[in-house]
Each structure stands twice: as C-alpha cells, then as structure tokens.
Amino acid sequence: WMEVREVLARNLRKARQAKRLSQEELAHRAGVDRTYVSALERRVYAASIEVVDRLARELDVEAADLLRRPTRREASTTKTKP
C-alpha cells in the first residue's frame, strides 16, 4: 500500500512533466514557492487540500487525480525517487 505522500509525489511529478512545466512555473501559477513543489515531489511535506486543488487546477486535472493510487501493476513497475 503506497503512502499518500508518495502517491501525491508520483502523480504531481507525472502531471507536471506531462504539461512540460518546471517546478518553478507550476509553483508560480499555483501561488506557492518553488521549494514547496520540490518538497512535495520528494515527499518531504504533506500538502493541504487547498494546495492540492490549486496545483490540480494549474495542471488541468482533478485534485482526486493527484491522490489516486496506482494500480498494483503500475506501483510495481514505477518507483518514485526520494
């Protein structure tokens, strides 16, 4: 069972890269600090639901998408780097 911080980190990085956004650009658009986005992607912090929502809006996904656990197959083939 994947920890929720790991789920968010994995999905956030994947969505950000799919939109071809830097951490800095995403942070600027969402009104948070770049180091905060970096920390979320490294599982250092737990984000508030408000921040998850703002990030999701800027990535054109639902907040639930950022918190969706991968299937067992996806989880076993893709590991998030700390």
Side-chain angles (χ1 to χ4, degrees):
W1 193 255
M2 195 179 284
E3 182 183 314
V4 73
R5 285 186 192 188
E6 185 175 353
V7 171
L8 176 61
R10 181 180 184 275
N11 293 337
L12 179 59
R13 179 176 286 123
K14 185 176 176 181
R16 179 181 59 76
Q17 290 174 341
K19 294 290 282 185
R20 298 184 183 268
L21 291 175
S22 66
Q23 290 176 343
E24 185 172 10
E25 181 60 26
L26 175 58
H28 174 74
R29 292 180 183 192
V32 297
D33 194 89
R34 184 208 56 85
T35 59
Y36 188 67
V37 172
S38 173
L40 291 175
E41 290 187 2
R42 290 180 291 119
R43 304 184 317 249
V44 174
Y45 296 135
S48 70
I49 196 68
E50 289 84 7
V51 169
V52 171
D53 186 57
R54 290 199 324 245
L55 292 168
R57 286 175 191 233
E58 296 306 326
L59 293 167
D60 296 321
V61 298
E62 294 293 325
D65 295 332
L66 293 179
L67 298 172
R68 184 166 286 115
R69 292 187 194 296
T71 64
R72 289 178 191 227
R73 183 180 217 186
E74 291 170 333
S76 67
T77 59
T78 306
K79 297 284 184 180
T80 302
K81 296 177 185 175

